[in-house]
Every structure is written in C-alpha cells, then in structure tokens.
C-alpha cells in the first residue's frame, strides 16, 4: 500500500542560457534537443540511478508547438536514451512551467505513486515568441475579463510602478545593476558553471562550437547607463531593457526522489520539498502573483517569512521583485535575496526558469549549512504566482565559512 513520503530535489542541471534571435547561440538548435542534452547530463551526473527506475518525465513549455510540441516529456525521454518503458508528459503554466512540473511530480512522489521522476522545462523564445500561434478567446476582451494590454508583460510591469509609487525607477535601476554584478561575482567564483551542461551548437554557416556560459550577462552595467535607456512599453515610462529579463533560449531539468528511493539508491539529496502554493491575481498586475502564492506556501508549512533565509525570486522585472520585497518587509539589497543574481542578467526562458531557481538555491544550501529554509518563487502571465519552500538537508545551525 502506498504511503506518504518526503520529496527530495536530488540534482538539477541546465543548458547555458542564450539570447533569443538570430544572434543567439541556439539560433540553429532545436528546443527539444536542449532538453535531451540536459537529461543526458543529469543522468550522467547521477549514474547510480537506474534509468528504468524513472517513473515519469514532465517537461514544460509555454508555446507548445513545432519543436516544443509533441508531448515533450515522452519525446525527449526517448531521444535521451531512457528506456521505452519510461512515460512522459508536457506541462504548461507559462513562466511557472518547470516549477509546476516539479510540484506535479513531487506531489506524485509524496503520495507514494512514484519513486523517482524528472521534471524541467524549455523555451526557445527565438523560434517561439511568447504568445506565438495563440488564439485568445474573444470573450476575454468582449466581456472585459482582462484588459487586452495585460497580455503584454512589460505593460503589466509599468502598472506595478503606477500602483505602488514607492517602487521608483531609481530603485528598479539599482536592483537591475546589482543583479548583473552578483551574477558576475558568482561566475568569478565558479558557483554557476558547475551546473551547466555544455551544448554543441552550429552557426548559420554550419560551423560548430561549444556553448558553456550564459550569453546575456552585462556586468559592465552602470546606473548612468540604465538611466539613459528607452522605455519601450510606455512613453516616459519606468521599465527598460535593463530592468527586465531578456528574451532567452534554454532548458532545465531536475531529478526528484522519495525518501525510500533516496535510501535504497544511496542518493544525497540537495533539498527537501516542504510545501508549495499557487495563486491567482489580476492579470493587469500579474507581477504581484508570488505574494499570495508565498503566503499560501508559508501557511501550509507552518512557517513565517522570517523563517526564510534564502530567496530565489525570478526577476521577470525588477519592479516585480521589489513589490514582493516591500510586501514582506525585506530590503532591496537584503543578502538573502538572489545572492548570485537572477534573470535580469541570466535570462528568463519562460517555462524553464523555475528549475533554474531551484538549481541555484540547492547550490547555495550546500555552501550554507547555517541556513535551514529557502524558497523559489515567480510571477506568471495572466495573473498567477507560484512558490515552493525547501529545507536544507545540510543544515547544522552553525555558521558556515565561505568557500
């Protein structure tokens, strides 16, 4: 008889993230191949896990068409060399696709239906821009269910500035600059590269090279430079390219397991899932979505925001993160928040980003045995938020020395 069990994040890897478009490193690479490369890399790093023990593969994509269609979990599992007995599925919750893949597989493990699963996501925004091939029901506009402009994420970010005047452009610019700086500092220490799976890529002439680092970083960013950028979503607005996540291509995958499987296979998990929550908000201000989803997750866990010592927040826009921090009384430059930077510098390949947050949090847990709880959270288009709270299995309660 199936029994409830703990759910563990055993490991996670991702491709380097590339700029979307003709100048991006993946301009001539298929989206599903990015997932395949990631699954192969994940299984190579976890060779003690028999491939036939994988109970399911859940891969998310926002635009499920072309090379991001055809039941990604199943097709990429087959292409990655997993046994034909391993099933798979596709998941779609826009930006929170991979996060939802993890919670869906995690819940299946938690109730004893699965032992081991793979969860992740992919987005090739150069080939499949957000909303491409979508056909929204005309009732959304005719019945005024949403403002038509709420489908433009940049416009929703501008509306956060409108709703919360204390979230100034100057605060957003500073946050964007710090994200770039923190990512570069993490690169200089070698913190990020160890979880990147190199990808062989071809250019327009067919010449091959190896993608090994994230392409969109701009460590030279200054406040002066940010202040001079255009505001593309509104004349005289406050949201710029420097305070927004860039259009990005990339894939992420994670290995999840239940407590019995961890013991049986001799695994060393990196995080334990404590709770998760999803919530809906007005589509016009979708950036506040992580606030109620975090409140839900905290309540389920019996924790408060003061129990969280590390925050991995997806930086769709600087103002969106700032709205979360203000609500919970956390300073803009609090060292607990995105210590290694975030999506403003690394990029946000929509459905892939949730597991990128988890990969970074897991790596920080390993370095920080003084930290017990952390969370991963993100806003979602059309007015949603998603949050997962994690416990550090390396927690000792003693302050760690920085490596």
């Amino acid at each position: 008889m199936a029994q409830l069990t703990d759910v563990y994040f055993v490991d996670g890897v991702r491709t380097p993230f590339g700029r979307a478009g003709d100048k991006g490193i993946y301009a001539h690479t298929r989206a599903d191949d990015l997932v395949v490369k990631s699954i192969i890399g994940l299984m190579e790093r976890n060779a003690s896990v028999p491939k036939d023990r994988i109970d399911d593969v859940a891969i998310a994509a926002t635009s499920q068409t072309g090379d991001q269609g055809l039941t990604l979990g199943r097709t990429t599992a087959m292409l990655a060399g997993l046994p034909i007995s391993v099933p798979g599925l596709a998941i779609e919750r826009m930006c929170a696709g991979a996060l939802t893949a993890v919670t869906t597989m995690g819940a299946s493990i938690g109730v004893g239906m699965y032992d081991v699963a793979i969860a992740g996501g992919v987005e090739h925004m150069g080939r499949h821009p957000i909303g491409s091939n979508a056909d929204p029901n005309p009732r959304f506009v005719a019945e005024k269910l949403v403002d038509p402009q709420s489908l433009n994420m940049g416009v929703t970010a501008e509306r956060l500035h409108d709703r919360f005047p204390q979230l100034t452009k100057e605060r957003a610019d500073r946050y964007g600059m710090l994200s770039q700086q923190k990512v570069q500092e993490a690169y200089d220490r070698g913190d990020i590269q160890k979880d990147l799976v190199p990808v062989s890529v071809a250019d327009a002439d067919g010449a091959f090279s190896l993608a090994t680092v994230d392409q969109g970083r701009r460590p030279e960013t200054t406040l002066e430079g940010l202040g001079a950028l255009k505001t593309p979503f509104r004349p005289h607005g406050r949201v710029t390219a420097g305070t927004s996540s860039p259009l990005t291509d990339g894939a992420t995958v994670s290995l999840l397991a239940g407590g019995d499987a961890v013991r049986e296979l001799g695994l060393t998990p990196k995080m334990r899932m404590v709770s998760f929550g999803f919530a809906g908000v007005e589509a016009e201000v979708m950036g506040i979505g992580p606030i109620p989803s975090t409140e839900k997750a905290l309540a389920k866990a019996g924790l408060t925001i003061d129990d969280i010592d590390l925050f991995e927040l997806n930086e769709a826009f600087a103002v969106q993160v700032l709205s979360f921090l203000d609500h919970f009384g956390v300073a803009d430059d609090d060292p607990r928040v995105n210590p290694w930077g975030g999506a403003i510098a690394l990029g946000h390949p929509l459905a892939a980003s949730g597991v990128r947050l988890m990969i970074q949090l897991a790596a920080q847990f390993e370095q920080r045995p003084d930290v017990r709880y952390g969370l991963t959270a993100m806003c979602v288009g059309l007015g949603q938020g998603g949050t997962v709270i994690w416990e550090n299995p390396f927690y000792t309660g003693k302050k760690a020395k920085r490596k």
Side-chain angles (χ1 to χ4, degrees), residues 128-163:
H128 308 293
I130 185 171
S132 61
N133 296 324
D135 181 19
N137 194 301
R139 286 183 54 210
F140 280 109
V141 175
E143 299 178 18
K144 298 183 178 180
L145 298 175
V146 298
D147 185 312
Q149 286 194 307
S150 66
L151 299 177
N152 183 314
M153 299 301 104
V155 171
T156 69
E158 288 283 6
R159 286 175 174 166
L160 286 182
H161 280 292
D162 296 340
R163 179 170 291 197

Side-chain angles (χ1 to χ4, degrees), residues 49 61 103 106 111 176 205 225 299 310 327 391:
V49 178
T103 57
V111 298
D205 298 321
L310 285 172
H327 178 84
E391 184 177 28

Side-chain angles (χ1 to χ4, degrees), residues 176-187:
M177 179 186 70
L178 289 176
S179 181
Q180 295 284 357
Q181 292 175 351
K182 287 190 286 188
V183 164
Q184 188 57 47
E185 290 167 0
Y187 255 90

Side-chain angles (χ1 to χ4, degrees), residues 175 313 320-333 337:
Y175 185 91
L313 307 176
Q320 176 266 316
V321 177
L322 294 174
S323 69
F324 178 98
L325 298 181
D326 269 19
H327 178 84
F328 288 108
V330 179
D332 298 2
D333 58 353
V337 178

Side-chain angles (χ1 to χ4, degrees), residues 211-245:
T212 60
V213 297
D214 297 300
Q215 189 181 21
R217 295 169 291 131
R218 296 182 182 276
E220 72 282 0
T221 298
T222 64
L223 287 176
E224 292 75 16
L226 290 173
L229 294 176
K230 296 179 180 179
T231 58
F233 305 111
R234 179 190 295 175
H236 310 293
R238 286 149 292 191
V239 179
T240 70
T243 56
S244 310
S245 56

Side-chain angles (χ1 to χ4, degrees), residues 60-350:
T62 300
S63 298
Q64 297 200 6
T65 184
D67 56 346
Q68 288 185 182
L70 199 61
T71 316
L72 273 172
R74 176 61 169 168
T75 55
T76 57
M78 295 171 68
L79 291 165
L82 298 185
I84 203 71
S85 58
V86 176
L89 69 153
I91 282 182
E92 199 280 294
R93 199 198 292 265
M94 296 186 76
C95 305
L99 190 147
T100 303
V102 167
T103 57
T104 301
M105 294 297 96
S108 297
I109 291 170
V111 298
M113 295 298 102
Y114 292 171
D115 295 317
V116 184
I118 289 174
V122 64
E123 212 73 52
H124 199 305
M125 299 183 75
R127 190 166 295 161
H128 308 293
I130 185 171
S132 61
N133 296 324
D135 181 19
N137 194 301
R139 286 183 54 210
F140 280 109
V141 175
E143 299 178 18
K144 298 183 178 180
L145 298 175
V146 298
D147 185 312
Q149 286 194 307
S150 66
L151 299 177
N152 183 314
M153 299 301 104
V155 171
T156 69
E158 288 283 6
R159 286 175 174 166
L160 286 182
H161 280 292
D162 296 340
R163 179 170 291 197
F164 305 109
Q166 73 274 22
L167 303 181
T168 63
K169 182 178 186 299
E170 290 72 25
R171 285 179 66 184
D173 284 351
R174 181 170 294 278
Y175 185 91
M177 179 186 70
L178 289 176
S179 181
Q180 295 284 357
Q181 292 175 351
K182 287 190 286 188
V183 164
Q184 188 57 47
E185 290 167 0
Y187 255 90
D188 291 344
R189 294 190 303 263
D191 286 334
I192 291 177
Q193 297 93 313
K194 62 187 179 63
D195 293 319
L196 302 183
V197 176
V199 178
S200 178
V201 295
D203 62 19
D205 298 321
F208 283 88
S209 59
L210 201 61
T212 60
V213 297
D214 297 300
Q215 189 181 21
R217 295 169 291 131
R218 296 182 182 276
E220 72 282 0
T221 298
T222 64
L223 287 176
E224 292 75 16
L226 290 173
L229 294 176
K230 296 179 180 179
T231 58
F233 305 111
R234 179 190 295 175
H236 310 293
R238 286 149 292 191
V239 179
T240 70
T243 56
S244 310
S245 56
L247 302 180
T248 311
D249 305 332
T252 63
V253 294
S254 63
L255 182 67
L256 308 173
D260 289 343
V262 164
R263 290 183 285 273
E264 176 193 347
L265 300 173
L267 305 177
T268 303
K270 297 182 176 181
M271 302 192 291
R272 183 181 74 87
M273 184 183 291
V274 177
S275 68
F276 62 85
F278 293 93
V281 298
E282 299 168 81
E284 290 78 7
V285 285
M286 64 94 191
I288 65 172
I291 294 172
S293 66
T294 296
E295 291 173 335
K296 278 188 175 183
L298 288 169
K300 291 290 185 182
L303 300 173
T304 71
I305 201 70
D306 293 332
D307 294 308
I308 306 301
D309 285 321
L310 285 172
F311 298 82
E312 276 295 324
L313 307 176
N314 190 47
E315 298 170 353
F317 301 93
V319 67
Q320 176 266 316
V321 177
L322 294 174
S323 69
F324 178 98
L325 298 181
D326 269 19
H327 178 84
F328 288 108
V330 179
D332 298 2
D333 58 353
D334 191 303
R336 297 174 297 168
V337 178
N338 292 7
W340 297 354
I344 288 173
L346 294 169
H348 173 27
L350 300 184

